[in-house]
Amino acid sequence: MKKSHRPVTRVKNPEPKMGDSDWVIWAAWADRITFEDIKKKTGKTESEVIKIMRRSLKPSSFRLWRKRVNSQSIKHRKKFEYSRKLIRSKIKKEEYLD
């Protein structure tokens, strides 16, 4: 077998297949995938995702995830769009100062 000179990129947590039940858990942990996107792709509501996470994770991991989702995460489209506006406004301010 011929060895390739192309480097292989390995991902620590690769994306599971869409039909797999692990995909919902993977998507819930991902910061850039909102609950609205999960509902669009799987049909599961936010409360259903929370139930899946509660069943699948250890209690301490579930508490960590909930704390992350409720405080700093942008798992909701409105929070995501609002945070993007804040970032854009900071960038524009910095450009004016230069």
Side-chain angles (χ1 to χ4, degrees), residues 12-41:
K12 188 175 183 181
N13 294 323
E15 180 178 346
K17 294 186 177 162
M18 185 65 167
D20 195 6
S21 61
D22 290 337
W23 189 88
V24 175
I25 296 167
W26 176 84
W29 272 107
D31 284 333
R32 296 291 177 196
I33 301 176
T34 63
F35 284 120
E36 289 83 2
D37 294 336
I38 294 172
K39 180 160 175 74
K40 222 184 278 180
K41 292 183 180 186

Side-chain angles (χ1 to χ4, degrees), residues 79-90:
K79 285 185 181 180
F80 177 74
E81 289 170 354
Y82 179 72
S83 69
R84 297 298 295 168
K85 286 179 184 175
L86 287 176
I87 291 169
R88 286 184 185 141
S89 67
K90 286 180 184 177

